[in-house]
Amino acid sequence: SGKLDRKALPEPEFASAEGRYVSPRTPTEEVLAEIWAEVLRLERAGVTESFFELGGHSLLATRVISRVRQVFGVELPLRALFEGPTVAELAGRVEEIRRAGAPALPPVVPTERTGPLPLSFAQERLWFLHQMEPEGAGYNMPWPGRLRGCLDARALERALGELVRRHEALRTTFRPVEQGAVQIVHPPAPAPLPVLDLTGLAPQAREHEARRLAREDAARPFDLERGPLLRATLTRLSDEEHVLLLCMHHVVSDGWSMGVLFRELFTLYEALSRPSGAARPASPLPPLAVQYADFAVWQRSWLRGEVLRRQLDWWRERLGGAPPALELPTDRPRPAVASSRGASHGFRLGADITRGLRSLARREGATLYMVTHAALDLLLSRWSGQEDLVVGSPIAGRTQVETEGLIGFFVNTLALRIDLSGDPSFVELLGRVRETALGAYAHQDLPFERLVEEVAPERDLSHTPLFQVMFALQNVRFGEVPAIGGLRLEGLGGEIRTVRFDLELDLHEVGEELGGSVRYRTDLFDAATMERFAAQYRTLLGAVGAWPEERVSRLAILPAEEARTLLAYGSGPACEDGGGVAVHRLFAAQAARTPGAT
């Protein structure tokens, strides 16, 4: 009835898998415990259990903060959850901020559609890049998926049409105006799903042709002015096997959006593929409170004046004097103009290494992302010889509850500057990365596009500004879709042949271990070089988990076989012709003898 005096009751306490469960005492603790249980997908959360030991990480922490803002009307810094990672500690911080009366971030609300709609800052930058290279496919987001089971192609086409009706971003184009461009949201219309029948080919030829079509679709450019910016094709391999080719332009989508798309598409498909006698609702999904264009209007109105100045000041101070580029040793000279030609190399870390990294993160009050990021920073420092470097990292950019269910371009990019000077222990380096990441999270609302304008690094078409290496850890499986009516979805696979940076390292969960992919510019690196890079990263992560207190200069990066090969160079017979002369003098002498030779 709500009339019980909680303080007069004995405190329930019993053992749980994580430790001792203690129930909430205050209304604030009770609401926070419910928020944690929702975000972490738990039955309950006790007030003394650590958020990160229960499976939390930076992205889930951001979702907690957005719900705290929505429920309590306070702006809680993300750092507060890292510094006080229990419900009890966080409740105290919430009450402290409420008493101070600090204003919270304004919510995203529907806007009037009486005139042109602005682009978000991120969209604006991609639109300008598209004007420079309209035939480029570097910002295509392809996802070829294999569908196994009995497929109702008509129901899938109708589900796709309902998805386009539901999300304005999928029926948006961009019209040039004097000051740049505006968004044009088109009325709902059927979304065509052409079907290509390959059943007339031999089985092996079908697979080959399906993969060729997937590569061709991924490389086909979009017209941002005419649209559509989502295209879909269904390839039929047999009665119970199809390949669905979905591709969107990044200007209307991001990685989180792909998860939203697949979950909603198959929820709609399940409803629309019911037998004719069953009830078929127009849509089983609840209506959306806002659309992406509402977010763009909100961002333009909020991120200005004093708010913008504080964000800019922090980033200017953080990136002032940063090196203009990360000078990794390349297999070929850097071209004057960077291309998007790329390739990828996949690898796995193994369950033992992954468990060691998770354990280290928990002990140090960090996240798995911070540990793996610090290890990458160390490896890049070893390869480049630089102790001051900047690495890019994507962040979801969905800091408000209203945006979590939208398809659109929310992701932002953080430029994380890391200091490796002084030969710290790895634990000390992890602390530096943790502080850098938390500071960046607190200032994540500044669009990367605006940061580039303000910091104004010397532009060089041979590499991207501010950083040339991107790192991401995907530890939320947005794209998981359950089997529906016997229909299963799985990735088609295949090599990625476009890149936006010199090197892009992605990690993702594969069961109890981490998998990885290194994407790289083929203009700069050979496949063998990137295989060696991935092997050294794996070796370093194993060493980090085993000896985190060791100085970074002493942590091994060479796999055992490579180390044995290197040692063998020093144990062979001496070169009699060298006579102890330094190698650069031998080189000069040879050049003098045959000056015209290659």
Side-chain angles (χ1 to χ4, degrees), residues 97-179:
I97 296 174
R98 290 178 78 178
R99 287 192 296 270
L105 199 67
V108 178
V109 296
T111 186
E112 293 291 333
R113 305 304 172 88
T114 56
L117 294 167
L119 278 61
S120 69
F121 291 113
Q123 285 182 321
E124 188 174 62
R125 176 170 179 262
L126 284 199
W127 185 84
F128 278 119
L129 289 174
H130 182 78
Q131 307 314 301
M132 295 170 61
E133 193 181 1
E135 298 303 315
Y139 287 95
N140 284 10
M141 296 187 65
W143 202 94
R146 192 185 301 274
L147 295 167
R148 297 187 187 275
C150 184
L151 174 68
D152 183 342
R154 174 61 181 151
L156 184 61
E157 184 176 45
R158 291 175 59 202
L160 190 66
E162 173 58 22
L163 192 76
V164 173
R165 183 205 65 77
R166 176 175 168 79
H167 292 275
E168 287 184 356
L170 299 181
R171 44 191 171 90
T172 295
T173 57
F174 300 87
R175 186 179 69 199
V177 294
E178 187 176 348
Q179 299 297 325

Side-chain angles (χ1 to χ4, degrees), residues 465-544:
L466 295 185
F467 62 84
Q468 295 77 48
V469 174
M470 176 73 89
F471 173 72
L473 170 61
Q474 176 66 280
N475 48 10
V476 176
R477 300 167 188 169
F478 294 119
E480 281 191 350
V481 178
I484 297 174
L487 191 65
R488 302 190 313 279
L489 172 68
E490 58 190 53
L492 183 65
E495 186 180 9
I496 296 174
R497 299 192 178 187
T498 60
V499 292
R500 296 192 288 271
F501 302 93
D502 291 357
L503 193 153
E504 303 171 24
L505 176 60
D506 290 326
L507 298 180
H508 53 272
E509 289 187 346
V510 184
E512 295 301 312
E513 62 179 311
L514 286 174
S517 172
V518 182
R519 297 197 296 274
Y520 57 94
R521 292 197 196 277
T522 50
D523 288 347
L524 301 177
F525 301 108
D526 291 335
T529 301
M530 289 296 100
E531 288 174 19
R532 190 166 67 251
F533 183 90
Q536 291 186 6
Y537 185 57
R538 186 181 188 280
T539 301
L540 180 57
L541 287 172
V544 160

